[in-house]
Amino acid sequence: MTWHVLGAGSLGTLWAARLARAGLPVRLILRSDERLADYTRAGGLTLIEQGAPQRYAIAAETLDNDAPIQRLLLASKAYDALDAAKRLAPRLAQDATVVLLQNGLGSQDAVARHLQGRRCVYASSTEGAFRQADFQVVFAGAGHTWLGDPLRPTAPQWLADLQAAGIPHQWSAEILDKLWRKLALNCAINPLTVLHDCRNGGLRDYPGEVASLCAELTTLLQACGQAAAAEHLHEDVLRVIDATAANYSSMYQDVSQGRRTEIRYLLGYACAAANDLGLSLPHLSDVQRRLLAHLAARGLPLD
Ligand code: NAD
Ligand code: KPL
């Protein structure tokens, strides 16, 4: 069965190239005829692993194609996912599966609501990749991807494709735990790196702020029924700060390169959830206020 992959960005390319390399049928979905022409000129997707580039001449089409889709990997940023799903909904078979590869929370539920009936599998990934040029992606960090379906716990048969493609993965009946945990880690680290203009390791200079955020995030996770995701959060945040000390967080990179952030699906989602529950989390709210002011001062979107 063909894997349609929307988004020839970092993770979409990383998945498409590995699936194609395993001999599986893959088709990329690009935004426009212009992007398709650029892609054709590039001669395919290039994946650079350990400095070695390899080009994959994967078939591509635009959003306007009308052939039915049975399996879709939606690998856009969280703020683009719902629009993309709306565009592709008429092409999705009634029993289609859509894998949602977005960071944070909120976008997956919005897509699943819109695509009612189709199976929506949520994914949370710690793999790292970045675009070096158009249609050229560097595989920057080994990691793992958890997949799960909050409505149907049974693992799908197509996980065998990921196995064949060498994509490290695990089916998780508790995918929301994984997504909440990653969201909490991102909320404790990413905004502070932007506000203090530092690498992740620079947060060792602000132990009090990190500890206060972790305490509030732990309260929030517990109140949201995510007790497992709350366990030892502070220790894990300190471990990630050490393990990624030399890196700039994804939000730091977005802001420094003048790109829209996924704030609405990370800190914004956490603050909205706290608000809905009537929880007062002053440190988290204060970081959100400062971050929004920081984005506004740079003319970046606030959502
Ligand atoms: P990206 O910006 O590199 O790629 C997204 C691609 O989707 C872009 O090429 C964009 O043009 C395309 N797109 C968006 N809407 C489209 C549409 N309607 N039609 C066609 N194309 C469309 O993003 P990414 O880094 O691959 O990240 C995807 C998600 O994965 C994000 O939520 C991100 O936070 C998460 N994530 C990324 C990494 C990483 O290392 N890059 C790691 C973990 C998680
Ligand atoms: O996922 C991350 C990111 O930068 O988005 C880490 C490294 C965990 C920091 O929150």
Side-chain angles (χ1 to χ4, degrees):
M1 195 176 287
T2 299
W3 280 86
H4 282 85
V5 176
L6 178 134
S10 307
L11 287 196
T13 298
L14 187 58
W15 277 57
R18 288 179 294 179
L19 290 165
R21 182 164 63 193
L24 295 159
V26 181
R27 288 185 74 81
L28 286 177
I29 302 178
L30 304 174
R31 275 180 195 279
S32 61
D33 288 335
E34 199 186 346
R35 289 294 289 156
L36 187 56
D38 290 345
Y39 176 71
T40 308
R41 264 192 301 279
L45 289 181
T46 299
L47 180 62
I48 300 149
E49 287 176 278
Q50 289 163 351
Q54 179 75 48
R55 192 157 64 192
Y56 300 90
I58 294 167
E61 61 191 45
T62 67
L63 285 166
D64 295 331
N65 190 302
D66 55 9
I69 295 176
Q70 195 68 43
R71 186 176 302 146
L72 172 68
L73 172 69
L74 206 168
S76 69
K77 286 286 172 50
Y79 47 74
D80 280 330
L82 181 58
D83 276 355
K86 284 182 177 169
R87 286 292 304 271
L88 291 178
R91 293 179 59 188
L92 289 171
Q94 249 347 92
D95 59 348
T97 294
V98 180
V99 180
L100 297 168
L101 195 43
Q102 278 74 44
N103 215 359
L105 278 162
S107 68
Q108 302 90 340
D109 285 348
V111 170
R113 269 195 304 275
H114 186 77
L115 297 181
Q116 266 182 19
R118 280 70 161 230
R119 187 175 198 190
C120 287
V121 169
Y122 297 10
S124 177
S125 184
T126 59
E127 292 196 304
F130 64 88
R131 267 188 284 187
Q132 175 175 278
D134 235 7
F135 306 116
Q136 286 186 28
V137 165
V138 177
F139 190 178
H144 199 85
T145 301
W146 283 267
L147 303 115
D149 176 346
L151 300 179
R152 283 162 60 186
T154 14
Q157 302 231 324
W158 50 257
L159 292 183
D161 284 6
L162 307 194
Q163 191 69 30
I167 298 173
H169 68 282
Q170 193 177 326
W171 184 256
S172 168
E174 310 296 339
I175 189 64
L176 293 179
D177 282 7
K178 304 279 181 211
L179 285 160
W180 266 109
R181 178 65 160 212
K182 178 114 192 294
L183 178 145
L185 281 165
N186 285 165
C187 286
I189 297 174
N190 298 12
L192 290 182
T193 62
V194 173
L195 295 172
H196 292 302
D197 189 14
C198 67
R199 295 175 197 260
N200 293 353
L203 296 185
R204 290 165 178 148
D205 295 340
Y206 306 94
E209 264 187 288
V210 173
S212 307
L213 283 183
C214 288
E216 290 189 358
L217 286 161
T218 300
T219 303
L220 175 64
L221 290 172
Q222 285 165 344
C224 289
Q226 299 295 330
E231 272 177 36
H232 309 296
L233 177 66
H234 188 202
E235 281 162 63
D236 206 19
V237 165
L238 297 179
R239 182 193 60 76
V240 171
I241 287 174
D242 281 342
T244 62
N247 299 355
Y248 286 109
S249 75
S250 55
M251 186 178 274
Y252 182 99
Q253 292 178 44
D254 284 341
V255 173
S256 63
Q257 288 165 36
R259 292 191 304 241
R260 182 173 176 183
T261 68
E262 294 182 298
I263 180 175
R264 175 172 168 194
Y265 304 91
L266 296 166
L267 190 56
Y269 188 88
C271 289
N275 203 34
D276 289 349
L277 290 164
L279 281 179
S280 162
L281 301 177
H283 292 94
L284 209 60
S285 305
D286 184 57
V287 167
Q288 185 190 35
R289 184 189 53 70
R290 285 156 60 203
L291 186 61
L292 289 172
H294 190 92
L295 298 179
R298 280 151 191 80
L300 290 172
L302 305 184
D303 66 345

